[in-house]
Amino acid sequence: MSIYTWIGIGIFAFFTLLPLKSAKNLSKWDIIGIVITMVTLVVIIIAHIFYSFNLWIGIAVLFILAILLDKKTYTKKMIVIYACMFIVIGGVVYWLLGDLFGKTDSDIVLEHLIENPETTSLYFAKEGEVHISHNDEEVRPLASVVKIMVALEYAFQVEEGKVDPATIIDLDDLNVYYIPQTDGGAHEAWIESLETEQPMLQEVAKGMIKFSSNANTEYLMDLLGLDAINNRMEELNIENHEEVYPIVGGLAISSYLKEQENLSNKDLINRLNEMSMEEYRSLAIEVSQQLKFKQFAVTDASKISMDIQRIWSDRLIGASAATYGNILSSVSNNEFSPSVTNTLRDILEWPLVHESNQQKFHHIGKKGGSTAFILNQTIYVETKNGERMEMVIMLDDLSMLQSLTLQKNIDFFLFKLIEDEEYLETVNQKLS
């Protein structure tokens, strides 16, 4: 939390406790109300610090609590006033959030693509023929989709004997890259899923894709070598793809600069905005190495403001939807060697653990990527009828409400493209 947030909390707590100065004049109800309010405030602070609980929701809770604890609320006049107020507020909220809480609707995604061509891309190919190419050559931030590229290099190095998938990995070597409250609990969820505290390297690669562990990704980037990953893209003629650099190192840059240069939040934002991409990548590599050797650690990710997260999100490694559509096609159509293909399928085809997918598909691979401002998804499938399809959707510059609504509907939209040829043609026509 920022210093201004703490000041606001302090002022709220001060005025909440101020009546206790004249405790003799307070009723038992008043004292109970003060205690309940302060306990609620402490719970909200703890929930925000340790579980990233939204402070705006906390403020709403305190507001409602203040109404409920006020004796005046229970007069006829106030009950009517508050009832009318909540009906109006409820109507506005429903109007704003109707798409979020309503039924799943593929057209919500389609409408967003139509209305926001400058920030969206969609690639869809079937049996080697591209059916939809909506701004698919535009380079946009990949977020965790870039982990497919790391998996690709890993598969090649397994084939070349440079890395052994059966190598036992010390979790401490991974955890140095873990920054709590920055990956939606992905790394912790992966660790909880393990059957042993000594996972093999192959399990680390799987955790990078299925759980989207950033720590696993950073470890593999270091193990495989950034130069090797970037050179592989050149070797495979992968175009419209920016240079790969450490994603955790990039996320930690703001905390690192703040500590090293003692910058205010405003100065830090200016420093990051003025930084060239070349300097940014170099600094991300430096910070990643500092994390590796425990020379630096991010102690409080909650101090990374939304403004700084936006800079990080915008500077993430970029590529086009068509680029990743072609990579997925190479996997789905077995265009790599059998060894590379088998390794990639073992990592990417985690959705086949679900019986519903087993009933529909021979193969299905999937990797998404998101930040507070980005929502991306990549999927390839081979149906029971032998049809092969690849799709990539990339959505950038999202508001919080847009992100939540689209997250709910994006998979429904993509699978409708797979299963409904008429809808596929409708989408193609509307985006043409």
Side-chain angles (χ1 to χ4, degrees):
M1 289 188 291
S2 70
I3 184 64
Y4 302 107
T5 305
W6 283 113
I7 291 173
I9 290 172
I11 292 172
F12 178 84
F14 173 78
F15 282 104
T16 300
L17 296 171
L18 186 60
L20 291 176
K21 187 177 180 182
S22 305
K24 292 181 180 179
N25 300 324
L26 297 177
S27 66
K28 185 177 180 181
W29 178 272
D30 293 330
I31 294 174
I32 290 173
I34 291 171
V35 171
I36 291 174
T37 301
M38 290 306 300
V39 169
T40 303
L41 179 62
V42 171
V43 169
I44 289 171
I45 292 171
I46 292 173
H48 176 71
I49 292 174
F50 293 101
Y51 302 102
S52 300
F53 182 75
N54 191 299
L55 279 179
W56 288 108
I57 296 176
I59 292 171
V61 169
L62 289 171
F63 175 72
I64 294 171
L65 189 63
I67 293 174
L68 295 175
L69 293 173
D70 186 354
K71 281 186 176 181
K72 295 177 182 178
T73 298
Y74 303 99
T75 64
K76 284 185 178 181
K77 180 180 178 181
M78 293 308 296
I79 288 174
V80 171
I81 290 173
Y82 283 129
C84 292
M85 185 175 70
F86 281 121
I87 289 172
V88 172
I89 292 173
V92 172
V93 170
Y94 182 80
W95 178 69
L96 290 172
L97 304 182
D99 288 340
L100 179 59
F101 296 112
K103 293 182 178 179
T104 306
D105 186 352
S106 59
D107 285 343
I108 289 175
V109 180
L110 176 56
E111 288 168 7
H112 184 83
L113 290 166
I114 294 170
E115 294 170 3
N116 300 275
E118 68 284 351
T119 58
T120 63
S121 297
L122 176 63
Y123 172 98
F124 187 96
K126 184 175 183 179
E127 292 296 294
E129 179 183 349
V130 178
H131 286 254
I132 301 175
S133 55
H134 172 71
N135 300 321
D136 64 342
E137 295 292 344
E138 293 293 324
V139 173
R140 306 192 191 283
L142 292 165
S144 289
V145 169
V146 75
K147 294 168 185 177
I148 294 175
M149 190 60 63
V150 180
L152 181 60
E153 176 59 23
Y154 168 77
F156 271 97
Q157 291 201 21
V158 168
E159 180 182 56
E160 295 163 355
K162 295 178 180 178
V163 295
D164 182 354
T167 301
I168 301 299
I169 305 300
D170 190 334
L171 287 178
D172 288 341
D173 293 337
L174 297 172
N175 291 336
V176 293
Y177 298 116
Y178 175 53
I179 303 178
Q181 304 177 51
T182 60
D183 66 353
H187 187 63
E188 290 177 325
W190 172 68
I191 290 177
E192 290 176 5
S193 75
L194 295 174
E195 297 178 356
T196 173
E197 294 183 358
Q198 295 182 311
M200 292 188 294
L201 184 60
Q202 184 76 359
E203 290 302 315
V204 174
K206 287 183 176 182
M208 172 182 68
I209 298 297
K210 180 179 179 179
F211 292 89
S212 206
S213 166
N214 290 337
N216 290 20
T217 308
E218 200 87 348
Y219 176 84
L220 285 167
M221 282 184 172
D222 182 68
L223 177 70
L224 302 172
L226 293 172
D227 288 342
I229 298 170
N230 290 313
N231 290 339
R232 187 75 63 183
M233 288 194 291
E234 186 175 345
E235 177 187 321
L236 296 174
N237 295 316
I238 294 174
E239 300 178 340
N240 284 341
H241 200 302
E242 294 175 350
E243 184 179 335
V244 173
Y245 67 86
I247 55 176
V248 176
L251 179 60
I253 281 177
S254 60
S255 299
Y256 181 76
L257 288 176
K258 203 164 189 177
E259 180 179 303
Q260 295 294 312
E261 301 180 12
N262 195 28
L263 299 173
S264 67
N265 200 61
K266 182 179 179 181
D267 290 338
L268 177 59
I269 290 171
N270 290 334
R271 175 86 164 83
L272 290 169
N273 281 327
E274 293 169 359
M275 191 180 295
S276 69
M277 200 61 221
E278 183 179 355
E279 181 185 358
Y280 189 87
R281 289 192 191 100
S282 297
L283 191 54
I285 294 170
E286 178 185 335
V287 173
S288 183
Q289 289 298 298
Q290 295 257 353
L291 291 169
K292 176 183 178 180
F293 294 108
K294 301 180 181 179
Q295 296 170 339
F296 169 73
V298 179
T299 55
D300 188 0
S302 67
K303 292 181 179 179
I304 303 176
S305 69
M306 289 302 291
D307 289 334
I308 292 172
Q309 287 185 48
R310 181 57 190 256
I311 296 171
W312 168 74
S313 180
D314 289 343
R315 286 179 176 258
L316 285 169
I317 303 155
S320 71
T323 294
Y324 274 80
N326 290 330
I327 293 172
L328 296 183
S329 177
S330 295
V331 179
S332 183
N333 292 285
N334 302 309
E335 294 174 8
F336 296 121
S337 69
S339 172
V340 169
T341 299
N342 289 338
T343 299
L344 282 171
R345 287 192 184 279
D346 187 46
I347 296 169
L348 295 173
E349 296 187 2
W350 60 269
L352 280 174
V353 300
H354 302 296
E355 186 176 346
S356 58
N357 286 329
Q358 294 174 19
Q359 293 172 353
K360 295 178 181 179
F361 307 112
H362 284 305
H363 295 284
I364 174 171
K366 183 179 180 184
K367 182 73 198 86
S370 63
T371 70
F373 315 97
I374 295 169
L375 181 60
N376 300 331
Q377 187 61 272
T378 68
I379 301 175
Y380 71 82
V381 301
E382 181 181 336
T383 67
K384 290 293 186 179
N385 296 327
E387 289 184 317
R388 293 171 177 169
M389 290 168 259
E390 303 84 40
M391 62 220 73
V392 179
I393 186 169
M394 304 180 73
L395 312 173
D396 192 12
D397 198 25
L398 302 175
S399 68
M400 181 183 293
L401 180 57
Q402 286 175 325
S403 181
L404 291 172
T405 304
L406 291 165
Q407 280 181 43
K408 177 185 174 183
N409 294 284
I410 193 168
D411 279 0
F412 186 75
F413 170 74
L414 293 174
F415 280 97
K416 192 170 182 179
L417 293 179
I418 294 171
E419 298 167 356
D420 188 337
E421 289 190 13
E422 185 176 336
Y423 186 68
L424 173 61
E425 182 58 31
T426 297
V427 172
N428 186 26
Q429 289 177 358
K430 289 189 175 183
L431 292 178
S432 296

